[in-house]
Amino acid sequence: MTSIECVTLDVADASAADRFYTTAFGLGRHIRLRAAQAPTTGFRGFTLSLTVSQPGNVNRLVDAALDAGATPVKPAAKSLWGYGGVVRAPDGAIWKVATSAKKDTGPVTRQVDAIVLLLGVADIGASKRFYTGQGLTVSKNIPGTYVEFAAGEGPVKLALYKRRALAKDAGVAPEGTGSHRLTIGASASDFTDPDGFAWETAPPSDVLY
């Protein structure tokens, strides 16, 4: 089964971005950085979500990101589904930190339980068919609204939203043009999906950008 091994973000300053991500989230080799300046404006069509076990962990990670230079988009707050907040990294990528838990049940840490890449797509059904054709297995499906794929052996899970719904969830305007500034490193061969998201064979874990 196809699985996501890492996500590469195109950034203007790779050294500065590395300092930010190391300080804010400490995700190591799962988030890679590549110096590039492809034109882009507005919403890039994706968000990255860190799932954690309790609200205190959300606060710890959001505060670390803000201290490292992120911009607040949605303050951490309770909702019907749990607790979470959204920040924009200095390179422009949008990150959500969230938990389904309503209260803390243990010591507060920066432990990340899962990384989810959410793609905003034009046609949920067409993108679902495309990705199942690439070897991904659907684990959750809300017809026309949301699709989640099993992570397999990879550290990053993939999910699909309608583009406008994803932007609303993130707290940003849905308009945007140009490059996604994102490359998905996977166990599969290179391809590009119907919405222009590029996939490539993941490099060895000791290769850094």
Side-chain angles (χ1 to χ4, degrees):
M1 183 179 75
T2 299
S3 60
I4 300 176
E5 306 299 329
C6 63
V7 172
T8 299
L9 300 173
D10 288 353
V11 299
D13 186 331
S15 295
D18 180 65
R19 288 192 297 273
F20 168 78
Y21 284 113
T22 299
T23 302
F25 302 137
L27 298 177
R29 65 184 181 84
H30 303 324
I31 302 299
R32 301 189 178 199
L33 306 165
R34 179 163 50 203
Q37 298 190 40
T40 188
T41 63
F43 182 45
R44 297 181 190 172
F46 74 93
T47 65
L48 286 151
S49 181
L50 304 180
T51 302
V52 301
S53 63
Q54 58 184 7
N57 294 9
V58 171
N59 292 335
R60 179 70 61 85
L61 285 164
V62 168
D63 288 346
L66 295 175
D67 288 345
T71 303
V73 178
K74 272 188 175 181
K78 293 180 180 179
S79 69
L80 292 176
W81 49 262
Y83 185 85
V86 180
V87 300
R88 191 189 303 272
D91 63 89
I94 296 173
W95 290 79
K96 182 175 184 178
V97 187
T99 179
S100 59
K102 299 291 186 177
K103 61 181 181 179
D104 293 342
T105 56
V108 173
T109 72
R110 293 175 62 197
Q111 177 67 40
V112 174
D113 297 331
I115 305 170
V116 184
L117 170 63
L118 297 107
L119 303 183
V121 302
D123 186 323
I124 289 279
S127 292
K128 175 188 171 185
R129 291 189 294 273
F130 177 84
Y131 278 114
T132 55
Q134 295 295 330
L136 278 77
T137 301
V138 175
S139 61
K140 184 176 182 179
N141 180 41
I142 303 174
T145 302
Y146 178 79
V147 177
E148 186 176 293
F149 299 95
E153 297 181 356
V156 182
K157 184 181 293 186
L158 177 69
L160 309 176
Y161 260 124
K162 292 281 287 185
R163 180 187 173 99
R164 186 170 292 275
L166 180 59
K168 181 178 180 180
D169 179 71
V172 299
E175 293 78 20
T177 62
S179 173
H180 295 300
R181 291 194 179 181
L182 171 78
T183 303
I184 304 163
S187 56
S189 57
D190 298 2
F191 63 86
T192 299
D193 83 354
D195 294 275
F197 290 100
W199 290 60
E200 66 181 16
T201 303
S205 60
D206 59 346
V207 174
L208 300 176
Y209 292 103

